[in-house]
Amino acid sequence: MVMGATHAMSGAAVGLAVADLLPTDWGGPTSTAETFAFAGVCAGAALLPDLDTTQSTVARSFGPISKALAAGIDTLSLGVYRVTKGRKDANRRGGHRTFTHTALFAIGLGAGVSALVGQFGRPAIIVTLFFTLGLALRGLFGGWARDKGWLIVTAVSAFLSVLTWQWFPDQVGSTGLGVAVALGCATHCLGDMITKEGVPFLAPFVPLGGRRWWELRLPSFLAIRAGGGFERAFLGPALTLVAVGLALWSIDGAPEAITDALRNSVQVAQ
Ligand SMILES: [Zn+2]
């Protein structure tokens, strides 16, 4: 499993878990369809931060459009870095793993999505769905996406977003999509944090020894190598199992059915 798939799968798992816990006032889903849409958006958003380099797989999700977007985000991130950097922060040539890998970006983008959905309603919902579900497809089914090419990926995500959009009840809270997007971005950063590079998650607000873009990371003996053996053999499969388990659990009526079945089998055994 490559890093993109791990990011998307962790986004899906976190999205499913949080969908269950999030109060409805905060846009918490109230049906199975909404829960899956919430988790799908979260899975796609968990790939968004890597749109800060044209080298990432996700930058290929929508062909030349996402490539151009990635180049723009790279330049913008580098600009933010240069303007806010502390006196001891190194000079950089590219913006990868800077601005889009901060809490500021996650919260700002989530709030922005919520504001747009609040303002424009359904058109803003469908754009968010289209974009994030396309990224999720690219992340979760990387082999398929590579074989079929970006045009097919774009067509399938357009189809899926129309479908998901129709499932949504009219009164769907604008907050929910924003929360899913912010959560996905934060999950991505957490994933990068456990690799050797780390992320400047708190930048540029917390100066430390003359640096504002210092990186949060695990101590090196705990850190894993991106795309390495641990990720392929354990982390990837474990996340997949957790996500599938949570997905089954969030189907309406499934928890009751499972506990009933368990209770019955215990009675039969007695
Ligand atoms: Zn990243």
Side-chain angles (χ1 to χ4, degrees), residues 7 49-50 96-97 101 188 192 199:
H7 279 310
D50 278 349
H96 182 44
R97 283 200 186 217
H101 289 67
H188 177 102
D192 278 357
V199 287

Side-chain angles (χ1 to χ4, degrees), residues 52-147:
D52 63 354
T53 167
T54 51
Q55 305 300 311
S56 64
T57 345
V58 282
R60 285 193 283 272
S61 298
F62 305 104
I65 303 151
S66 44
K67 278 248 177 188
L69 185 68
I73 295 175
D74 189 4
T75 311
L76 176 83
S77 304
L78 186 59
V80 173
Y81 179 84
R82 286 191 172 144
V83 170
T84 58
K85 85 184 187 66
R87 120 193 100 72
K88 291 223 172 119
D89 282 314
N91 287 317
R92 298 185 60 107
R93 283 162 172 225
H96 182 44
R97 283 200 186 217
T98 58
F99 178 54
T100 58
H101 289 67
T102 61
L104 172 67
F105 177 80
I107 295 169
L109 190 70
V113 166
S114 286
L116 284 176
V117 172
Q119 184 72 35
F120 299 105
R122 293 210 150 202
I125 294 178
I126 204 159
V127 170
T128 308
L129 288 173
F130 169 71
F131 200 68
T132 50
L133 293 180
L135 293 181
L137 282 179
R138 172 64 78 173
L140 294 173
F141 309 103
W144 168 83
R146 235 184 342 269
D147 290 348

Side-chain angles (χ1 to χ4, degrees), residues 7 12 31 34 38 43 58 74 112-113 116 120-121 130 138 147 156 165-166 169 174 181 189 197 200 228 244 262 270:
H7 279 310
S31 67
E34 273 184 58
F38 184 91
V58 282
D74 189 4
V113 166
L116 284 176
F120 299 105
F130 169 71
R138 172 64 78 173
D147 290 348
V156 173
W165 177 61
Q166 288 192 333
S174 58
V181 167
C189 293
E197 287 101 335
V244 170
L262 283 175
Q270 282 167 351

Side-chain angles (χ1 to χ4, degrees), residues 222-235:
L222 280 176
I224 67 161
R225 195 162 52 82
F230 177 78
E231 183 180 344
R232 280 165 207 276
F234 177 74
L235 191 59

Side-chain angles (χ1 to χ4, degrees), residues 4 6-19 22 29 34-49 128-129 131-137 140 176-189:
T6 311
H7 279 310
M9 199 54 89
S10 55
V14 168
L16 286 164
V18 171
L22 196 67
E34 273 184 58
T35 299
F36 284 163
F38 184 91
V41 169
C42 199
L47 290 160
L48 257 175
T128 308
L129 288 173
F131 200 68
T132 50
L133 293 180
L135 293 181
L137 282 179
L140 294 173
L177 281 183
V179 171
V181 167
L183 201 62
C185 293
T187 306
H188 177 102
C189 293

